[in-house]
Amino acid sequence: MREPICKIRFSHLQARHFIKFRDDRLRTVSGTTVRHDLSLFSHVFEMAIKEWDMPINGNPVRLITKPEENNPRDRRLEKGEEECLLLSCSQSRNPYLLPLVILAIETAMRRGELLRLERQYLNINNRTAYLPMTKNGDSRTIPLSTRAIATLNKIPIHISGKVFPLSETALRGLWGRTCRRAGIVGLHLHDLRHEATSRLFEKGLNIMEVSAITGHKDLKMLKRYTHLKAEDLALKLG
């Protein structure tokens, strides 16, 4: 709703508005994200024409060129990086950074899901965390490992009720400084979701069990998030 395009009446939207939206968004997010944004806009126009009988002249999003899909990232933690990363997190003056990173590795939760997590939705006895709203628009209950439970029990309680009372901007800054301090290059916070999901498969969980934890609706997407280590697979083969 902060985007300039949202101030234009729906019936007045033209291809040029979406071209500007596309080009502005590409300065801050990936081509894949912009394609998803445009797909959502396009769907609204199709619904308006087919279902709502709105008097508009076609779907302007169809008239513009969509950006190229980005190659999926396959970055995982290399040998020794987890130890260096956690040590660097422990050196931060922010008491929430280290537990957030551990929870990201243990649960495969997205950044936004971690930042929205509330204490009222933690069930320590049942070892679960409930997410009432996720990126996919559905709720999800996540099982918590022994390490995750131990980490949650040590987190300072904040008056807001949030487990991690951080803004996305603050977390982005903390993450950048942490990686520089640890000497780790090319690691994004979202890569920890790749790492966590891959570890779930390496523990022997099947694709349906993993999708229940990670929240992937499209099982094909799990191929992009799981990059099993060849040496681990070799051990399974005997």
Side-chain angles (χ1 to χ4, degrees):
M1 294 299 294
R2 290 192 296 268
E3 297 289 342
I5 198 171
C6 294
K7 297 178 174 61
I8 303 169
R9 290 181 64 86
F10 185 72
S11 58
H12 294 170
L13 285 168
Q14 300 177 24
R16 60 186 174 87
H17 297 123
F18 290 101
I19 290 173
K20 185 176 188 309
F21 169 82
R22 176 200 65 197
D23 295 346
D24 288 346
R25 284 284 279 163
L26 283 172
R27 295 190 182 98
T28 57
V29 298
S30 69
T32 300
T33 297
V34 177
R35 286 182 71 94
H36 290 165
D37 291 341
L38 293 174
S39 177
L40 179 58
F41 276 124
S42 182
H43 179 67
V44 172
F45 274 99
E46 294 299 323
M47 290 295 293
I49 295 167
K50 297 175 182 177
E51 301 286 341
W52 305 335
D53 197 28
M54 290 186 68
I56 54 178
N57 296 320
N59 180 352
V61 184
R62 285 189 171 187
L63 304 177
I64 73 171
T65 302
K66 311 302 187 297
E68 293 292 329
E69 291 266 7
N70 293 82
N71 292 327
R73 288 180 61 83
D74 59 1
R75 178 71 157 89
R76 290 194 62 180
L77 292 172
E78 298 173 2
K79 186 175 181 179
E81 279 191 334
E82 181 173 351
E83 293 77 9
C84 290
L85 178 65
L86 296 183
L87 176 61
S88 183
C89 287
S90 69
Q91 294 168 346
S92 172
R93 286 184 287 183
N94 191 298
Y96 297 101
L97 179 61
L98 176 60
L100 184 145
V101 169
I102 293 175
L103 261 289
I105 295 172
E106 289 295 307
T107 65
M109 291 171 66
R110 301 177 178 93
R111 176 184 59 190
E113 293 169 347
L114 288 163
L115 294 180
R116 288 192 297 270
L117 184 62
E118 298 184 23
R119 285 198 168 269
Q120 63 175 317
Y121 296 128
L122 296 178
N123 190 323
I124 300 300
N125 292 331
N126 290 343
R127 294 176 47 170
T128 60
Y130 175 66
L131 303 176
M133 179 60 68
T134 66
K135 179 181 177 181
N136 291 331
D138 295 332
S139 61
R140 184 164 98 251
T141 300
I142 298 175
L144 300 173
S145 67
T146 302
R147 186 188 187 195
I149 292 291
T151 300
L152 285 167
N153 284 332
K154 295 177 183 177
I155 299 176
I157 297 177
H158 194 266
I159 192 172
S160 68
K162 293 285 185 67
V163 176
F164 303 108
L166 299 168
S167 68
E168 289 198 8
T169 301
L171 179 56
R172 193 176 298 114
L174 287 167
W175 178 258
R177 290 191 292 275
T178 296
C179 288
R180 286 193 294 273
R181 190 163 53 238
I184 296 175
V185 178
L187 183 69
H188 298 177
L189 181 60
H190 191 73
D191 292 332
L192 299 184
R193 178 165 161 85
H194 295 240
E195 180 68 29
T197 309
S198 298
R199 291 185 184 188
L200 292 174
F201 277 101
E202 289 167 351
K203 288 179 180 179
L205 277 68
N206 64 46
I207 194 167
M208 296 305 297
E209 291 170 330
V210 172
S211 66
I213 296 172
T214 62
H216 286 96
K217 282 187 173 181
D218 185 355
L219 299 185
K220 293 179 182 178
M221 288 292 291
L222 283 173
K223 283 189 174 181
R224 296 179 58 187
Y225 286 94
T226 55
H227 303 280
L228 308 184
K229 294 178 180 177
E231 56 268 33
D232 293 332
L233 294 175
L235 291 175
K236 286 188 174 185
L237 293 175

